[in-house]
Amino acid sequence: MKIYKIISALLLVSSLNAQYNVNDKISDDIVNKLQLEKEKVYILDFFASWCISCKLELPLISKLNNTLDNTKYKIIGINVDENKNDGKNFVNDLKLNFEIIYDSNNQIISKFEPVGVPAIYYIKNNIVKKVIFGAVHNIDDQISNDLKNIGE
């Protein structure tokens, strides 16, 4: 319980200084690392194997990925488990069908500094268009609705 309180406190402090907020431009090093293209909308989903909400949301996001026009939209999952094998086993167990980047050394998440996971960032033309922190009931429907507004 003590470690949970420490992590919660750190997340709260980091959220006050979040690196990327809506309308912020993503740095060139992140654009290059994630190979982001202009005009395509990216859905970056930060998750971890220990996250209960992630385990519920990721299959819905994977299902949504089957219906997306991949010329316009791309989902990139960013696993932040310290142990890369934990992340890989989690991804395999859930049979995720979108690109996964393993960020066990925190090079990517440290640039975004979300309040916690799950955290979803919508990016278009290297600009953050929307951010969702925490669990969302029917996340697949939420993303579909968001993409109607962001993709235009």
Side-chain angles (χ1 to χ4, degrees), residues 39-95:
E39 299 306 318
K40 191 175 265 194
V41 177
Y42 291 89
I43 302 103
L44 302 184
D45 185 0
F46 290 89
F47 69 92
S49 64
W50 45 262
C51 169
I52 303 295
S53 298
C54 299
K55 188 172 185 174
L56 299 173
E57 287 187 355
L58 287 167
L60 296 173
I61 294 171
S62 195
K63 181 180 167 188
L64 172 68
N65 190 49
N66 292 326
T67 66
L68 290 180
D69 178 349
N70 293 328
T71 64
K72 291 182 174 181
Y73 310 107
K74 183 173 182 180
I75 298 171
I76 301 175
I78 303 172
N79 176 268
V80 298
D81 280 294
E82 289 180 22
N83 182 320
K84 189 175 181 179
N85 288 330
D86 290 345
K88 285 185 174 190
N89 290 335
F90 183 68
V91 167
N92 290 336
D93 288 347
L94 294 178
K95 297 177 176 66

Side-chain angles (χ1 to χ4, degrees), residues 124-148:
K124 182 176 182 184
N125 295 324
N126 304 333
I127 304 290
V128 176
K129 296 298 185 178
K130 183 174 180 174
V131 180
I132 301 173
F133 296 123
V136 174
H137 184 68
N138 295 329
I139 188 66
D140 50 339
D141 293 338
Q142 177 69 53
I143 293 172
S144 291
N145 290 332
D146 291 341
L147 291 178
K148 289 175 186 170

Side-chain angles (χ1 to χ4, degrees), residues 103-135:
D103 190 35
S104 54
N105 56 8
N106 296 320
Q107 289 183 346
I108 299 170
I109 197 168
S110 66
K111 300 289 185 180
F112 284 82
E113 296 183 3
V115 251
V117 294
I120 295 176
Y121 290 79
Y122 297 89
I123 299 172
K124 182 176 182 184
N125 295 324
N126 304 333
I127 304 290
V128 176
K129 296 298 185 178
K130 183 174 180 174
V131 180
I132 301 173
F133 296 123

